[in-house]
Amino acid sequence: MAKGETAAQRFTRLNGIPATFHEIGVPKDRKTSALEMAKASGLDPARLFKTLIVLADAKTFAMAIVPADRDLDRKALARLMKAKRVDLAPKEKAIKLTGYQMGACAPLGQKSALPAFLDESAFGFASIYVSGGAYGLELEIAPDVLLEAVKGTRAVIA
C-alpha cells in the first residue's frame, strides 16, 4: 500500500474501480456514527451507507450494507441467508475478518471475502457513500459498481 493509503483506497486503485474518496471533518480519534458522518458532510443519511459485519446462526459471517438512517432488518437478512438468526458479529472477530476498526469498516479491501448484501434503497441514487476505511474518510461509488466489486446481492434488508 502507498503511504497513508487505506486498504479500500488500494483496492479501488489496483482494480480500476471508479470511485472518489472524500475527507469529512469529524474527530479521527473516535468512532463516529453514520448519522454523525452524514450530518458533518451535509449528506442525506439515506445516501450514506454503513457496513455491518453480521453472524448468521453463530457460524456464517457476512456483510450488510444499509443506509445510515435505517436499521438492518435482521429477519429479512436471515431469510436471505437461509438462517434462523442474524446478529452483529463480535467486535474483535469483525476487526480480525475485515482489518478495519468499527466505525471505519469499508466494504472494499477487507482481509476476508464475505458474502455481501446491499440494501435495495442504494439503487435510488446515482452514487452512494460508504466508509473509505478510516475515520472521516468516505468513498463515493455507484451502487452497481459497489455491488459488482463485493460480488454482492441486491436485497431489501433495511
Side-chain angles (χ1 to χ4, degrees), residues 6 8 12 17 19-24 34 37 43 45-52 63-68 100 103-110 117-119 122 127-143 145-147 149-150:
T6 68
T12 59
I17 295 172
T20 305
F21 288 86
H22 302 275
E23 287 279 343
I24 309 297
M37 188 67 72
L43 286 172
R47 192 173 168 208
L48 180 69
F49 282 66
K50 52 192 173 186
T51 303
L52 305 173
M63 168 177 35
I65 307 165
V66 297
Y100 292 115
C105 185
L108 300 177
Q110 295 183 1
F117 299 88
L118 177 57
D119 188 67
S127 66
I128 59 170
Y129 291 77
V130 295
S131 176
Y135 297 126
L137 183 65
E138 291 297 314
L139 165 63
E140 183 180 5
I141 190 168
V145 172
L146 177 61
L147 190 66
V150 297

Side-chain angles (χ1 to χ4, degrees), residues 72-80 83-84 86:
L72 172 64
D73 182 340
R74 294 177 192 205
K75 288 182 181 181
L77 184 55
R79 283 190 298 275
L80 285 168
K84 290 183 180 180
V86 168

